[in-house]
């Protein structure tokens, strides 16, 4: 049987402790960290899972949807299961095919023919020093470093060793050995998948002295924004997007955004920019776009916003849009990702790897790049540039230095200490400040585990005002447009005793004179205030979570990329 299998529930430290008295060794190994989807988080449910004889082991991302049916079949044929997971059907299916005399590669081909759902599978067998792997709807990348081969769900996992990457396609089965690898496609044909070199460095995947990746990535936003904008704004104040020259979108009549989570908020932000420039735009949660489809015509442009390019709901929504004949664009951070390869065109945000589960620098970069794309779209669709184009692009160019100013001057830490024990936390805004309020609340609940809600400022009086008490601080985000209305909403909660923390331009004395706490941001174009305000809200969430001693980089129950629907 396999030489060593070690599994522990909980933090990786638990496994490290268990290995202190032993010395695992070998040329091939697999491991997995995961949140449970089937069965509680126990040692027996942890990966990898083995067959009856312990000849092979399997690690799995995703969900095997027909696992109950397969488990019943396998149990009837004498297989003994030791976990509650959907994954365990895989090693038992493999075991049967190996017993019939098939090679591990052939056994994996036969096994995936029986699986329904999404999966990235990595298998190790006692027969040889090789890894076998396949994917369907879940990310899987192969890393190459001389004679060494690595398989992982994303590139940062092996950045310490190599930046040479092969992006595998759905249906691919790879056999990786020391010094070589073979890829077989879903038709059983040997294929060549080109290796590409990613421009991320190993330092990108290290904390570099910061206590948490999230704080590091918050502080990386000026550099990330600089990369996102570099070469894309011309000297005569027009937008230069490499794949989208002027006139690219002249035949588009409406825009659909599809996205999830933080990317959904970035898409909502972009909608504000486009609607303000007379472009019909709708934003859909990717998880609902297929089950509650919106009408799509030949002149609909569907823009998928996804940091990883591997978000399952977004990919399925893209497939739906393509089946309906829509043109698609992926706005993503990962060159070679499934979304980038699937879409008609891709626009990259260039944020660099983001390790913390809570998205920070990628949100800022998404909004900045969507701002550039919005200019190209509105100019092509309406036939003329926006009147404020130059002032908007000048403000975009200043954005990296202004974010740095926020980071250098923020007084958030004192506010975080004051409001860490509140009953709830509310975030309000209108215009571009509304998606920022939603994003601020999402960050807060993700990493503090405290109750937080984001609202359109105008909606307070239509129900949420009932939740307001003296122990529910309200974070009000001001964009510089319609501030008097948001101030009125802020006054409504103050009369109920709730403290108001205002985030607005440093010149907004009409705000600072009224609110209980004031977090200033540099003066900028109203369309970009949200990016700067969001940095302050990221810091609020971070400092409160730190005071509460939360697991900031790996918040409970959450994963960096949501690769199951």
């Amino acid at each position: 049987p396999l030489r060593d299998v070690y599994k522990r529930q909980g933090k990786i430290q638990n496994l490290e402790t268990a290995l202190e008295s032993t010395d695992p060794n070998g040329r091939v190994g697999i491991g997995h960290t995961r949140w449970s989807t089937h069965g509680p988080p126990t040692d027996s449910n942890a990966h990898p899972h083995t067959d009856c004889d312990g000849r092979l082991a399997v690690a799995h991302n995703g969900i095997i949807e027909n696992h109950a049916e397969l488990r019943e079949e396998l149990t009837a044929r004498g297989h003994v299961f030791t976990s509650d997971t959907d994954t365990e059907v895989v090693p038992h299916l493999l075991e049967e095919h190996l017993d019939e005399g098939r090679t591990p590669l052939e056994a994996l081909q036969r096994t995936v023919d029986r699986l329904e759902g999404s999966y990235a599978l990595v298998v190790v067998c006692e027969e040889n020093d090789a890894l076998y792997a396949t994917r369907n709807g879940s990310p899987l990348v192969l890393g190459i470093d001389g004679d060494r081969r690595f398989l992982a769900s994303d590139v940062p996992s092996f950045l310490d060793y190599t930046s040479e990457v092969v992006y595998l396609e759905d249906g691919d089965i790879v056999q990786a050995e020391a010094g070589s690898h073979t890829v077989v496609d879903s038709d059983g044909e040997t294929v060549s998948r080109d290796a590409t070199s990613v421009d991320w460095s190993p330092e990108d995947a290290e904390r570099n002295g910061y206590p948490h990746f999230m704080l590091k990535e918050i502080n990386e936003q000026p550099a990330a924004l600089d990369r996102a904008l570099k070469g894309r704004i011309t000297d005569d104040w027009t937008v230069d997007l490499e794949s989208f020259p002027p006139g690219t979108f002249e035949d588009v009549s409406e825009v659909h955004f599809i996205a999830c989570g933080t990317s959904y908020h970035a898409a909502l932000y972009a909608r504000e920019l486009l609607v303000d420039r007379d472009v019909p735009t709708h934003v859909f949660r990717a998880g609902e776009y297929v089950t509650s489809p919106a009408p799509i015509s030949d002149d609909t442009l569907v823009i998928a916003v996804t940091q990883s390019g591997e978000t399952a709901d977004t990919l399925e929504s893209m497939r739906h849009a393509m089946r309906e004949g829509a043109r698609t664009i992926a706005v993503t951070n990962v060159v070679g990702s499934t979304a980038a390869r699937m879409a008609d065109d891709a626009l990259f945000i260039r944020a660099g790897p983001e390790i913390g589960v809570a998205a920070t620098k990628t949100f800022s970069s998404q909004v900045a790049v969507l701002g550039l794309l919005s200019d190209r779209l509105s100019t092509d669709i309406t036939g003329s540039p926006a009147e404020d184009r130059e002032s908007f692009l000048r403000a975009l160019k200043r954005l990296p230095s202004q974010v740095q100013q926020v980071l250098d001057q923020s007084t958030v830490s004192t506010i975080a200490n004051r409001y860490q024990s509140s009953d709830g936390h509310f975030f309000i805004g209108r215009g571009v400040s509304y998606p920022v309020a939603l994003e601020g609340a999402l960050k807060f609940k993700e990493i503090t585990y405290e109750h937080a809600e984001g609202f359109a400022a105008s909606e307070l009086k239509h129900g949420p005002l009932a939740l307001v008490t003296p122990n529910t601080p309200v974070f009000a985000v001001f964009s510089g447009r319609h501030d008097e209305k948001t101030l009125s909403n802020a006054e409504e909660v103050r009369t109920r005793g709730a403290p108001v923390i205002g985030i607005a331009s440093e010149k907004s004395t009409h705000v600072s004179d009224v609110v209980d706490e004031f977090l200033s941001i540099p003066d900028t174009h109203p369309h970009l205030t949200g990016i700067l305000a969001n940095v302050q809200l990221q810091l609020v969430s971070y400092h409160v979570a730190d005071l509460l001693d939360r697991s900031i980089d790996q918040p409970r129950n959450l994963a960096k990329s949501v690769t199951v629907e």
Side-chain angles (χ1 to χ4, degrees):
L2 296 170
R3 183 177 300 162
D4 298 303
V5 177
Y6 299 96
K7 308 195 293 184
R8 292 295 185 273
Q9 72 176 78
K11 293 291 186 181
I12 292 176
Q13 177 63 45
N14 297 344
L15 184 59
E16 291 173 345
T17 301
L19 293 175
E20 286 177 354
S21 58
T22 187
D23 185 24
N25 61 84
R27 292 165 51 83
V28 178
I30 61 174
H32 194 17
T33 59
R34 65 187 289 272
W35 290 111
S36 297
T37 52
H38 294 80
T42 62
D43 287 355
S44 60
N45 286 334
H47 291 212
H49 290 286
T50 60
D51 64 319
C52 292
D53 298 326
R55 294 167 54 198
L56 56 91
V58 175
H60 165 224
N61 267 350
I63 292 180
I64 308 301
E65 294 175 354
N66 61 333
H67 71 98
E69 169 195 336
L70 293 171
R71 180 182 285 250
E72 186 176 341
E73 287 181 22
L74 289 160
T75 301
R77 293 199 290 267
H79 291 270
V80 177
F81 285 77
T82 60
S83 80
D84 303 312
T85 68
D86 57 329
T87 303
E88 198 181 353
V89 299
V90 178
H92 291 292
L93 287 171
L94 286 166
E95 176 188 5
E96 291 193 338
H97 294 306
L98 290 175
D99 286 344
E100 292 168 356
R102 294 186 171 89
T103 67
L105 186 64
E106 292 169 340
L108 188 53
Q109 288 174 308
R110 294 298 185 97
T111 294
V112 297
D113 285 343
R114 295 296 316 277
L115 303 181
E116 297 174 9
S118 66
Y119 49 80
L121 297 167
V122 183
V123 182
V124 60
C125 303
E126 68 171 359
E127 274 83 353
N128 53 39
D129 285 341
L131 291 175
Y132 300 88
T134 188
R135 63 161 286 179
N136 180 61
S138 287
L140 185 67
V141 291
L142 172 71
I144 302 172
D145 176 36
D147 286 343
R148 296 191 293 184
R149 295 297 183 271
F150 304 88
L151 286 156
S153 57
D154 54 19
V155 174
S157 303
F158 49 66
L159 264 184
D160 276 347
Y161 306 100
T162 184
S163 58
E164 190 176 356
V165 178
V166 175
Y167 293 97
L168 300 169
E169 305 278 356
D170 275 354
D172 282 354
I173 296 178
V174 60
Q175 176 176 329
E177 302 173 87
S180 68
H181 64 272
T182 303
V183 180
V184 177
D185 67 12
S186 55
D187 296 322
E189 300 293 327
T190 300
V191 295
S192 175
R193 300 286 185 226
D194 293 336
T196 59
S197 182
V198 298
D199 60 359
W200 297 346
S201 70
E203 290 74 23
D204 291 330
E206 301 294 336
R207 289 204 304 266
N208 295 339
Y210 286 93
H212 300 95
F213 277 109
M214 183 179 180
L215 185 60
K216 172 178 178 274
E217 288 155 2
I218 289 172
N219 280 275
E220 286 176 341
Q221 286 176 108
L225 284 165
D226 188 63
R227 288 193 300 270
L229 300 171
K230 187 175 183 179
R232 290 171 166 175
I233 300 175
T234 67
D235 292 339
D236 58 351
W237 303 110
T238 61
V239 170
D240 181 11
L241 295 176
E242 50 273 25
S243 300
F244 309 114
T248 298
F249 303 110
E250 287 178 347
D251 59 348
V252 172
S253 66
E254 66 169 354
V255 175
H256 288 185
F257 283 103
I258 50 175
C260 301
T262 289
S263 295
Y264 176 77
H265 299 155
L268 286 175
Y269 200 121
R271 177 193 175 275
E272 292 293 329
L273 305 183
L274 284 168
V275 168
D276 195 55
R277 291 169 167 80
D278 300 321
V279 177
T281 307
H282 309 276
V283 184
F284 300 92
R285 297 183 187 277
E288 309 297 325
Y289 195 64
V290 178
T291 54
S292 301
I296 294 175
S297 63
D298 292 341
D299 49 10
T300 300
L301 175 68
V302 176
I303 303 175
V305 186
T306 162
Q307 185 281 131
S308 67
E310 303 291 351
T311 307
D313 289 328
T314 305
L315 295 177
E316 186 56 34
S317 293
M318 290 176 66
R319 295 184 185 101
H320 167 73
M322 296 169 76
R323 287 193 296 267
E324 294 297 310
R327 180 180 175 184
T328 57
I329 295 174
V331 178
T332 183
N333 193 35
V334 183
V335 177
S337 62
T338 303
R341 287 181 280 122
M342 181 189 302
D344 295 314
D345 295 288
L347 183 59
F348 298 103
I349 67 171
R350 305 172 179 170
E354 187 174 62
I355 309 301
V357 167
T360 51
K361 64 177 180 177
T362 53
F363 175 80
S364 299
S365 296
Q366 282 174 335
V367 173
V369 170
L370 287 170
L372 296 172
L373 181 59
S374 296
D375 178 86
R376 167 60 57 235
L377 286 165
S378 62
T379 302
D380 286 353
I381 294 170
T382 67
S384 60
E387 291 183 6
D388 64 346
R389 171 197 263 181
E390 182 174 337
S391 64
F392 174 71
L393 294 179
R394 285 183 180 275
L396 264 179
K397 288 273 280 188
R398 292 194 301 270
L399 201 56
S401 62
Q402 290 188 322
V403 169
Q404 188 63 58
Q405 185 179 335
V406 173
L407 294 169
D408 291 342
Q409 299 176 3
S410 179
T411 58
V412 156
S413 56
T414 57
I415 291 175
N417 192 60
R418 201 166 299 149
Y419 297 117
Q420 63 165 306
S421 58
S422 301
D423 294 334
H425 306 78
F426 302 126
F427 298 74
I428 63 172
R430 55 175 20 91
V432 297
S433 297
Y434 170 54
V436 171
L438 295 178
E439 175 64 10
L442 176 61
K443 283 294 149 295
F444 201 92
K445 67 184 75 173
E446 277 182 314
I447 65 167
T448 71
Y449 311 156
E450 300 296 308
H451 179 246
E453 295 289 343
F455 302 108
S458 61
E459 281 295 299
L460 273 177
K461 63 178 73 70
H462 297 286
L465 202 57
L467 298 172
V468 171
T469 73
N471 203 33
T472 55
V474 176
F475 294 83
V477 185
F478 296 84
S479 70
R481 286 187 175 177
H482 310 297
D483 282 356
E484 69 285 350
K485 294 183 180 295
T486 305
L487 270 175
S488 175
N489 303 131
E491 286 289 356
E492 287 177 316
V493 299
R494 289 191 80 212
T495 60
R496 275 75 178 177
V500 174
I501 300 94
I503 303 98
S505 163
E506 57 200 358
K507 296 183 178 180
S508 300
T509 55
H510 60 295
V511 175
S512 59
D513 290 346
V514 173
V515 298
D516 298 283
E517 309 277 2
F518 184 64
L519 295 173
S520 70
I521 57 175
D523 191 51
T524 188
H525 191 287
H527 281 161
L528 299 179
T529 53
I531 298 178
L532 298 172
N534 185 63
V535 177
Q536 293 280 28
L537 295 181
Q538 291 171 349
L539 291 168
V540 168
S541 297
Y542 174 80
H543 284 291
V544 171
D546 195 36
L547 287 167
L548 295 172
D549 197 27
R550 303 303 193 210
S551 179
I552 291 174
D553 288 334
Q554 297 173 310
R556 67 189 182 198
N557 304 330
L558 301 178
K560 183 61 183 171
S561 297
V562 182
T563 56
V564 294
E565 294 182 78

